[in-house]
Amino acid sequence: MTTKRSKVFKTLFVCCLFLVFNANAQTKTPEKQTTGTVPSEVLPITPEVKIGKLSNGLTYYIQNNGKPEDKVELRLALKAGSIVETDDQVGLAHFMEHMNFNGTTNFKKNELVDYLQSIGVEFGADLNAYTGFDQTVYILPIPSDDPEKLDKGFQILQDWAGNALLTAEDIDDERGVVIEEYRTRLGARTRMQSKYLDKIAYKSKYANRLPIGTKENLETFKYESLRNFQKDWYRPNLMAVIAVGDLDVETLEKKIKENFSGLKNPKNEKPREEFYSENHEGTFVAIEWDEEATGSQIQIFYKDKGNPEKTKTVSDYRNDMVEGLFDQMINNRLAEYSNKPNPPFIYGFSYKGGIIGNKEAYQSFAQTNETGQLEGLKVLLEENERVKRYGFKASELERAKKDYLARLERQFKNKDKNESGRIVNSYIQHFLQERPIPGIEWTYNYAQSELPSIKLKEVNALISDFLHDDNRLVVLTGPKKDGLTKVTEKEVIDLLESVKKADIKDYEDEAVRDELMPVKPTKGSIAKKEVNNEGQINETTTLTLSNGAKVTYKKTDFKNDEVLMEAFSYGGTSLYSTEELKQTASANGGLFEAGIDGIDKNEMAKMTSGKIVRVRPYIGGNDEGFRGSASPKDMEMMFQMIHLYFTKLDKDPEAFSSFISKQKAFLGNILSNPNISFSIALGEFTNEGNPRYTGFPDEEALDKANYDLAYEKYKERFANAGDFHFYFVGNVEDDKIAEYAETYIASLPSNGDNEMYKAHDFRPKSGSHEFTYNKGTEPKSQVRLTFSGEAQYDEKEARALSALGEILSIKLIEKLREEEGGVYGAGARGSMSKIPYGRYSFSISFPCGPDNAEKLAAASIAELEKIIKDGPTEVDLDKVKKALLLTRKENLEQNRFWLSAIKGADYNKSDLNNVVNYESNVNALTTKDIHSVAKKYLTNGYIKAVLMPEE
């Protein structure tokens, strides 16, 4: 359950996704637009979608989209969520969502999930749903190349639209599952939020309608309460069917009409009211702390006094663009604080957007150290006040415009390469919240023409409307512990007043140099060029450079504006002495807080305005390398960054000090979280006796982090570029990648050596052990059952062990969730690895109630023992095969998959032809193969680890 923002820029700014889709309502295309004008015509609707409405009021959206092939994304969206519940129905909007998977007219209990698994659609990963305050949405991807499966898909959607059986037995069976989901939400955040939610959603029904509901009502509600909810709200005039995928519009429209035209609205239907929150005088202050809180946070809400307005016209859209530019500039300033010595917060950001209670607010957030809340609050307030007094600079606005347009340009270039699953969400929000869908072509063209006309004074004027002393809320949350003094309401109020009178200087926008590398290095050369697997889907090209470095690339057309990069060299910290490892373990992450060639992180952010490029080195346990990405037009800068990280990583003690401060603030109370504390304690248990185990970085370890040694070891690990292999996948050009490789990689120093990682002697615990850990006050447990040990890596066995994990996951859901009602989710995972030594691992994990932990652990092992004794059924293996092949079919159209596969083949010294042979290898898996690995690897004992509440 999430709260969506209402303005067009928010999704672009925060998520860098589809700006075009994230605002509100429209109907027709304006006839003309000229730069500098602000037309009042209503916004257009993208021509890519067909929108219609049946006679019963059901709305539909249809778009033909061929990515991925042979698949259609179906959604059923309902304009009803927890906000329409009556007092006896608290939590039942969400419960109703569950019941649609547990017995409908055409699919009796569990038959729906069983059928979809039989055609490769996975429960949770593919098939899913969510409930919010104002909506419920059902998610169903279905194959489009099989008419029978397509018909079944629409039949399922039709059943979801009001044909849940809601028998007393089915309802009672599902109570336990929903209560287990409720249990997963319990903790410090929930406890603290419950004490201030009514201040956010002031005098609003929203404060008492969290979608998960209450445990008491979930246990005791009457059957008729749920049936009445379905009868009142599951009706066609509150619904939309969205179908986007690889099928023609006419066929999809026919299916919708056939399946949904017969739905009827109830007589004397309940009106679908809109609910809001009320305004209040003055400032509310909420200060909450909790023994299990993992961090200290600040939230400031300047709540609008009116209700949210929809973005309907081009003028509205332009206003949203202005707000978005404001958001970006204020956040650029706040980001600079995070990179200073002794930063006032780990991160801070501000934006204008929606909050719980169907209201908008200008909001500022920050996470600080446990004693720094007042200082962090002061900085947030001062930055808002600074903008109010002095405004932004013209140079800041120009950078924001460049970034804005660069992200839109990427979306525009990729407009024909978007997956259906991404497109479908825009139509859901158009139906539910009237967010506009003008299409990326209109949006990009409009931004190009209109951005130049947005003046600095327009952006600067916003802050006066944003900030006000009434209808304001300040929320501070953090850990409760001995020796820590709780901030008082008076301190907060006094600070709010003092900042208004404070001596605040204007912001200074320091200039940065124009080019990252004004002087280019002397070129090396390409010693050899090889085309690998020519003509096959796994075709790549490898360049061996004059210094010994290798560059392998694969040209794809999956995205027009994407190039992904990784590189590795064997070694990593495995080549450090034990003492070097311990001194640098907590320091390595801080190396890259420094800049390159005298350009610090804040300057780099300015220099890369209008560019899409990212490079970050790493030092791992067995290797060191790089990860990055760029737009094709910014590839040269990506290569320049690689070169400079080899040759000119700055040594910046102040940047490192900032890193340590943020680490202490972030990690200082993280052990208060029971699940995290359990994982760390379990790691220490399994690594008992390991001289090289560094464990969790506590404050003492951070204080001892040796920056000087870490920096020297970094230079050592990156001294020999000839030992590195670089990989690029995406829209690359042969001549460009050759030129950049010669200039920026072949020119790097090399000594001719080829290193190898070192496999040390210690092996983690395996076999039969029990580990019980007591932490937390809520009635929550976590169970982990782990089989592991050394093994000679075998590709066929690795495939079988992974499939065994998928099969057992199906059985665990059937047993622990559907039959026992004891868990919300459960899963198993099997794998084999060969680096740094041959090893297998198989684990079972699930959260549950403490009273059920032993019983469910035993039930899990019993399910596994059935497979060890008799092997899996052909039916279950076939479900897993179909899911694996459907997933692989989509992966073959993803740059990220190919980058991982190509690099992984070299890293693991395996055959890239496994990608070509994947389908035949999966189809060749037999129940005998699964049975064999189960008997071989899962009969030598296991570690049973259980998290229990404190006694």
Side-chain angles (χ1 to χ4, degrees), residues 888-926:
R888 175 52 61 95
K889 184 177 181 180
E890 293 181 24
N891 284 343
L892 291 174
E893 300 292 313
Q894 302 287 336
N895 288 329
R896 181 66 59 191
F897 165 79
W898 280 107
L899 181 66
S900 176
I902 296 165
K903 176 195 168 187
D906 287 340
Y907 189 86
N908 291 300
K909 302 187 185 310
S910 58
D911 189 353
L912 189 57
N913 280 318
N914 285 334
V915 175
V916 178
N917 301 326
Y918 183 83
E919 183 173 354
S920 60
N921 287 336
V922 168
N923 283 328
L925 272 174
T926 66

Short mmCIF file of all heavy atoms in Angstrom, two decimals, residues 888-926:
data_model
loop_
_atom_site.label_atom_id
_atom_site.label_comp_id
_atom_site.label_asym_id
_atom_site.label_seq_id
_atom_site.Cartn_x
_atom_site.Cartn_y
_atom_site.Cartn_z
N ARG A 888 12.61 -16.60 -19.00
CA ARG A 888 13.78 -16.51 -19.88
C ARG A 888 13.42 -15.84 -21.21
O ARG A 888 14.21 -15.04 -21.75
CB ARG A 888 14.37 -17.90 -20.12
CG ARG A 888 15.54 -17.94 -21.12
CD ARG A 888 16.63 -16.94 -20.80
NE ARG A 888 17.25 -17.17 -19.51
CZ ARG A 888 18.36 -17.89 -19.34
NH1 ARG A 888 18.97 -18.44 -20.38
NH2 ARG A 888 18.86 -18.03 -18.14
N LYS A 889 12.24 -16.11 -21.73
CA LYS A 889 11.82 -15.50 -22.99
C LYS A 889 11.83 -13.97 -22.88
O LYS A 889 12.26 -13.27 -23.80
CB LYS A 889 10.42 -16.00 -23.36
CG LYS A 889 9.92 -15.50 -24.71
CD LYS A 889 8.57 -16.12 -25.03
CE LYS A 889 8.06 -15.65 -26.38
NZ LYS A 889 6.74 -16.25 -26.72
N GLU A 890 11.39 -13.46 -21.74
CA GLU A 890 11.40 -12.02 -21.52
C GLU A 890 12.80 -11.51 -21.24
O GLU A 890 13.19 -10.43 -21.70
CB GLU A 890 10.46 -11.66 -20.38
CG GLU A 890 8.99 -11.91 -20.70
CD GLU A 890 8.06 -11.52 -19.56
OE1 GLU A 890 8.46 -10.67 -18.73
OE2 GLU A 890 6.95 -12.06 -19.50
N ASN A 891 13.58 -12.28 -20.50
CA ASN A 891 14.94 -11.87 -20.18
C ASN A 891 15.80 -11.67 -21.42
O ASN A 891 16.70 -10.82 -21.45
CB ASN A 891 15.61 -12.89 -19.26
CG ASN A 891 15.14 -12.80 -17.83
OD1 ASN A 891 14.56 -11.80 -17.42
ND2 ASN A 891 15.38 -13.84 -17.06
N LEU A 892 15.54 -12.47 -22.45
CA LEU A 892 16.33 -12.37 -23.67
C LEU A 892 16.18 -11.03 -24.37
O LEU A 892 16.96 -10.72 -25.28
CB LEU A 892 15.95 -13.51 -24.64
CG LEU A 892 16.36 -14.92 -24.21
CD1 LEU A 892 15.80 -15.96 -25.16
CD2 LEU A 892 17.89 -15.04 -24.13
N GLU A 893 15.21 -10.24 -23.94
CA GLU A 893 15.01 -8.90 -24.51
C GLU A 893 15.44 -7.81 -23.53
O GLU A 893 15.01 -6.66 -23.66
CB GLU A 893 13.51 -8.71 -24.85
CG GLU A 893 12.97 -9.71 -25.87
CD GLU A 893 13.57 -9.48 -27.25
OE1 GLU A 893 13.61 -8.34 -27.69
OE2 GLU A 893 14.02 -10.48 -27.88
N GLN A 894 16.29 -8.17 -22.55
CA GLN A 894 16.71 -7.22 -21.54
C GLN A 894 18.24 -7.06 -21.56
O GLN A 894 18.98 -8.04 -21.48
CB GLN A 894 16.28 -7.69 -20.14
CG GLN A 894 14.79 -7.92 -19.98
CD GLN A 894 14.02 -6.60 -19.93
OE1 GLN A 894 14.57 -5.56 -19.59
NE2 GLN A 894 12.74 -6.67 -20.27
N ASN A 895 18.70 -5.82 -21.63
CA ASN A 895 20.14 -5.57 -21.61
C ASN A 895 20.77 -6.07 -20.32
O ASN A 895 21.89 -6.60 -20.32
CB ASN A 895 20.42 -4.07 -21.75
CG ASN A 895 20.15 -3.55 -23.15
OD1 ASN A 895 20.31 -4.28 -24.14
ND2 ASN A 895 19.72 -2.30 -23.25
N ARG A 896 20.07 -5.87 -19.20
CA ARG A 896 20.63 -6.28 -17.91
C ARG A 896 20.89 -7.78 -17.86
O ARG A 896 21.90 -8.23 -17.32
CB ARG A 896 19.67 -5.87 -16.78
CG ARG A 896 20.13 -6.22 -15.39
CD ARG A 896 21.35 -5.45 -14.96
NE ARG A 896 21.17 -4.00 -14.98
CZ ARG A 896 22.14 -3.12 -14.84
NH1 ARG A 896 23.38 -3.53 -14.69
NH2 ARG A 896 21.89 -1.81 -14.87
N PHE A 897 19.99 -8.58 -18.44
CA PHE A 897 20.18 -10.03 -18.48
C PHE A 897 21.45 -10.38 -19.26
O PHE A 897 22.27 -11.19 -18.81
CB PHE A 897 18.97 -10.72 -19.12
CG PHE A 897 19.25 -12.14 -19.50
CD1 PHE A 897 19.23 -13.14 -18.55
CD2 PHE A 897 19.56 -12.48 -20.82
CE1 PHE A 897 19.52 -14.46 -18.91
CE2 PHE A 897 19.85 -13.79 -21.17
CZ PHE A 897 19.82 -14.78 -20.21
N TRP A 898 21.60 -9.77 -20.43
CA TRP A 898 22.74 -10.11 -21.28
C TRP A 898 24.06 -9.68 -20.64
O TRP A 898 25.07 -10.38 -20.75
CB TRP A 898 22.58 -9.51 -22.67
CG TRP A 898 21.66 -10.33 -23.52
CD1 TRP A 898 20.39 -10.04 -23.90
CD2 TRP A 898 21.96 -11.61 -24.07
NE1 TRP A 898 19.86 -11.06 -24.66
CE2 TRP A 898 20.80 -12.03 -24.78
CE3 TRP A 898 23.07 -12.45 -24.05
CZ2 TRP A 898 20.75 -13.26 -25.45
CZ3 TRP A 898 23.02 -13.67 -24.71
CH2 TRP A 898 21.86 -14.05 -25.41
N LEU A 899 24.07 -8.54 -19.99
CA LEU A 899 25.29 -8.11 -19.32
C LEU A 899 25.69 -9.12 -18.26
O LEU A 899 26.86 -9.52 -18.16
CB LEU A 899 25.06 -6.73 -18.68
CG LEU A 899 26.26 -6.14 -17.95
CD1 LEU A 899 27.39 -5.82 -18.93
CD2 LEU A 899 25.86 -4.88 -17.19
N SER A 900 24.71 -9.57 -17.47
CA SER A 900 24.99 -10.56 -16.42
C SER A 900 25.45 -11.88 -17.03
O SER A 900 26.38 -12.52 -16.52
CB SER A 900 23.73 -10.76 -15.57
OG SER A 900 23.92 -11.77 -14.61
N ALA A 901 24.79 -12.31 -18.10
CA ALA A 901 25.11 -13.60 -18.71
C ALA A 901 26.51 -13.60 -19.33
O ALA A 901 27.28 -14.56 -19.17
CB ALA A 901 24.07 -13.95 -19.77
N ILE A 902 26.84 -12.53 -20.05
CA ILE A 902 28.14 -12.47 -20.74
C ILE A 902 29.28 -12.37 -19.74
O ILE A 902 30.27 -13.09 -19.83
CB ILE A 902 28.15 -11.28 -21.73
CG1 ILE A 902 27.10 -11.50 -22.83
CG2 ILE A 902 29.53 -11.12 -22.35
CD1 ILE A 902 26.78 -10.25 -23.62
N LYS A 903 29.12 -11.45 -18.78
CA LYS A 903 30.16 -11.34 -17.75
C LYS A 903 30.24 -12.62 -16.93
O LYS A 903 31.33 -13.12 -16.63
CB LYS A 903 29.87 -10.15 -16.84
CG LYS A 903 30.87 -10.02 -15.70
CD LYS A 903 30.39 -9.08 -14.62
CE LYS A 903 31.26 -9.20 -13.38
NZ LYS A 903 30.73 -8.43 -12.23
N GLY A 904 29.07 -13.16 -16.55
CA GLY A 904 29.04 -14.35 -15.72
C GLY A 904 29.72 -15.55 -16.36
O GLY A 904 30.36 -16.35 -15.67
N ALA A 905 29.59 -15.67 -17.68
CA ALA A 905 30.23 -16.79 -18.37
C ALA A 905 31.75 -16.71 -18.22
O ALA A 905 32.42 -17.72 -17.99
CB ALA A 905 29.83 -16.79 -19.84
N ASP A 906 32.31 -15.50 -18.35
CA ASP A 906 33.75 -15.35 -18.20
C ASP A 906 34.17 -15.47 -16.74
O ASP A 906 35.16 -16.14 -16.42
CB ASP A 906 34.19 -13.98 -18.74
CG ASP A 906 34.15 -13.92 -20.26
OD1 ASP A 906 34.16 -14.98 -20.90
OD2 ASP A 906 34.09 -12.80 -20.80
N TYR A 907 33.42 -14.85 -15.87
CA TYR A 907 33.77 -14.83 -14.44
C TYR A 907 33.78 -16.25 -13.87
O TYR A 907 34.69 -16.62 -13.13
CB TYR A 907 32.76 -13.96 -13.69
CG TYR A 907 33.12 -13.69 -12.25
CD1 TYR A 907 33.96 -12.63 -11.92
CD2 TYR A 907 32.61 -14.48 -11.23
CE1 TYR A 907 34.29 -12.36 -10.59
CE2 TYR A 907 32.94 -14.23 -9.90
CZ TYR A 907 33.78 -13.17 -9.59
OH TYR A 907 34.10 -12.91 -8.28
N ASN A 908 32.79 -17.03 -14.24
CA ASN A 908 32.67 -18.41 -13.73
C ASN A 908 33.33 -19.44 -14.64
O ASN A 908 33.24 -20.63 -14.38
CB ASN A 908 31.19 -18.76 -13.54
CG ASN A 908 30.55 -17.99 -12.41
OD1 ASN A 908 30.97 -18.09 -11.27
ND2 ASN A 908 29.53 -17.21 -12.74
N LYS A 909 33.94 -18.95 -15.72
CA LYS A 909 34.58 -19.83 -16.70
C LYS A 909 33.60 -20.91 -17.19
O LYS A 909 33.91 -22.11 -17.22
CB LYS A 909 35.85 -20.47 -16.12
CG LYS A 909 36.88 -19.45 -15.65
CD LYS A 909 38.18 -20.10 -15.25
CE LYS A 909 39.17 -19.11 -14.66
NZ LYS A 909 39.38 -17.90 -15.45
N SER A 910 32.42 -20.43 -17.56
CA SER A 910 31.39 -21.32 -18.09
C SER A 910 31.13 -20.98 -19.55
O SER A 910 31.79 -20.10 -20.13
CB SER A 910 30.11 -21.21 -17.26
OG SER A 910 29.62 -19.89 -17.24
N ASP A 911 30.18 -21.64 -20.15
CA ASP A 911 29.94 -21.53 -21.59
C ASP A 911 28.74 -20.61 -21.84
O ASP A 911 27.63 -20.89 -21.37
CB ASP A 911 29.68 -22.93 -22.16
CG ASP A 911 29.62 -22.93 -23.68
OD1 ASP A 911 29.65 -21.84 -24.29
OD2 ASP A 911 29.53 -24.04 -24.25
N LEU A 912 28.95 -19.54 -22.61
CA LEU A 912 27.85 -18.63 -22.93
C LEU A 912 26.80 -19.32 -23.81
O LEU A 912 25.66 -18.86 -23.90
CB LEU A 912 28.38 -17.37 -23.63
CG LEU A 912 27.39 -16.23 -23.85
CD1 LEU A 912 26.76 -15.77 -22.54
CD2 LEU A 912 28.07 -15.05 -24.55
N ASN A 913 27.15 -20.43 -24.40
CA ASN A 913 26.16 -21.19 -25.18
C ASN A 913 25.06 -21.77 -24.30
O ASN A 913 24.04 -22.24 -24.80
CB ASN A 913 26.84 -22.31 -25.97
CG ASN A 913 27.48 -21.79 -27.25
OD1 ASN A 913 26.90 -20.97 -27.96
ND2 ASN A 913 28.69 -22.25 -27.52
N ASN A 914 25.26 -21.74 -22.99
CA ASN A 914 24.19 -22.17 -22.10
C ASN A 914 22.95 -21.30 -22.27
O ASN A 914 21.84 -21.74 -22.00
CB ASN A 914 24.66 -22.11 -20.64
CG ASN A 914 25.59 -23.26 -20.30
OD1 ASN A 914 25.53 -24.33 -20.91
ND2 ASN A 914 26.47 -23.05 -19.32
N VAL A 915 23.14 -20.06 -22.70
CA VAL A 915 22.00 -19.19 -22.97
C VAL A 915 21.22 -19.73 -24.17
O VAL A 915 19.99 -19.79 -24.16
CB VAL A 915 22.46 -17.74 -23.23
CG1 VAL A 915 21.28 -16.87 -23.63
CG2 VAL A 915 23.15 -17.18 -22.00
N VAL A 916 21.95 -20.13 -25.20
CA VAL A 916 21.30 -20.68 -26.40
C VAL A 916 20.60 -21.99 -26.07
O VAL A 916 19.50 -22.28 -26.56
CB VAL A 916 22.35 -20.91 -27.51
CG1 VAL A 916 21.70 -21.51 -28.75
CG2 VAL A 916 23.05 -19.60 -27.84
N ASN A 917 21.23 -22.79 -25.22
CA ASN A 917 20.72 -24.13 -24.92
C ASN A 917 19.78 -24.17 -23.72
O ASN A 917 19.39 -25.25 -23.28
CB ASN A 917 21.91 -25.07 -24.65
CG ASN A 917 22.86 -25.15 -25.83
OD1 ASN A 917 22.43 -25.07 -26.98
ND2 ASN A 917 24.15 -25.28 -25.54
N TYR A 918 19.43 -23.00 -23.19
CA TYR A 918 18.67 -22.95 -21.95
C TYR A 918 17.35 -23.71 -22.06
O TYR A 918 17.00 -24.50 -21.19
CB TYR A 918 18.40 -21.49 -21.56
CG TYR A 918 17.68 -21.33 -20.24
CD1 TYR A 918 18.39 -21.36 -19.05
CD2 TYR A 918 16.31 -21.17 -20.19
CE1 TYR A 918 17.75 -21.21 -17.82
CE2 TYR A 918 15.65 -21.03 -18.97
CZ TYR A 918 16.37 -21.04 -17.80
OH TYR A 918 15.72 -20.91 -16.59
N GLU A 919 16.60 -23.48 -23.12
CA GLU A 919 15.29 -24.11 -23.25
C GLU A 919 15.42 -25.63 -23.27
O GLU A 919 14.67 -26.34 -22.58
CB GLU A 919 14.56 -23.62 -24.50
CG GLU A 919 13.16 -24.18 -24.64
CD GLU A 919 12.39 -23.57 -25.78
OE1 GLU A 919 12.90 -22.61 -26.41
OE2 GLU A 919 11.27 -24.04 -26.06
N SER A 920 16.38 -26.13 -24.05
CA SER A 920 16.54 -27.58 -24.12
C SER A 920 17.04 -28.14 -22.79
O SER A 920 16.63 -29.23 -22.37
CB SER A 920 17.51 -27.96 -25.25
OG SER A 920 18.78 -27.37 -25.05
N ASN A 921 17.89 -27.40 -22.11
CA ASN A 921 18.38 -27.85 -20.80
C ASN A 921 17.26 -27.91 -19.77
O ASN A 921 17.20 -28.85 -18.97
CB ASN A 921 19.50 -26.93 -20.30
CG ASN A 921 20.80 -27.13 -21.06
OD1 ASN A 921 21.05 -28.19 -21.64
ND2 ASN A 921 21.64 -26.10 -21.08
N VAL A 922 16.39 -26.88 -19.77
CA VAL A 922 15.27 -26.88 -18.83
C VAL A 922 14.30 -28.01 -19.17
O VAL A 922 13.85 -28.74 -18.28
CB VAL A 922 14.55 -25.52 -18.85
CG1 VAL A 922 13.22 -25.59 -18.11
CG2 VAL A 922 15.43 -24.45 -18.21
N ASN A 923 13.99 -28.15 -20.43
CA ASN A 923 13.05 -29.21 -20.83
C ASN A 923 13.61 -30.60 -20.54
O ASN A 923 12.85 -31.56 -20.35
CB ASN A 923 12.71 -29.09 -22.31
CG ASN A 923 11.71 -27.97 -22.58
OD1 ASN A 923 10.85 -27.69 -21.74
ND2 ASN A 923 11.83 -27.33 -23.74
N ALA A 924 14.93 -30.71 -20.49
CA ALA A 924 15.55 -32.02 -20.23
C ALA A 924 15.52 -32.39 -18.74
O ALA A 924 15.79 -33.54 -18.38
CB ALA A 924 16.99 -32.00 -20.72
N LEU A 925 15.22 -31.43 -17.87
CA LEU A 925 15.14 -31.73 -16.45
C LEU A 925 14.06 -32.78 -16.19
O LEU A 925 12.95 -32.68 -16.70
CB LEU A 925 14.81 -30.47 -15.65
CG LEU A 925 15.96 -29.57 -15.19
CD1 LEU A 925 15.39 -28.31 -14.54
CD2 LEU A 925 16.87 -30.29 -14.21
N THR A 926 14.38 -33.75 -15.37
CA THR A 926 13.42 -34.80 -15.04
C THR A 926 13.20 -34.85 -13.53
O THR A 926 13.98 -34.31 -12.74
CB THR A 926 13.94 -36.18 -15.50
OG1 THR A 926 15.11 -36.51 -14.72
CG2 THR A 926 14.28 -36.17 -16.98
#
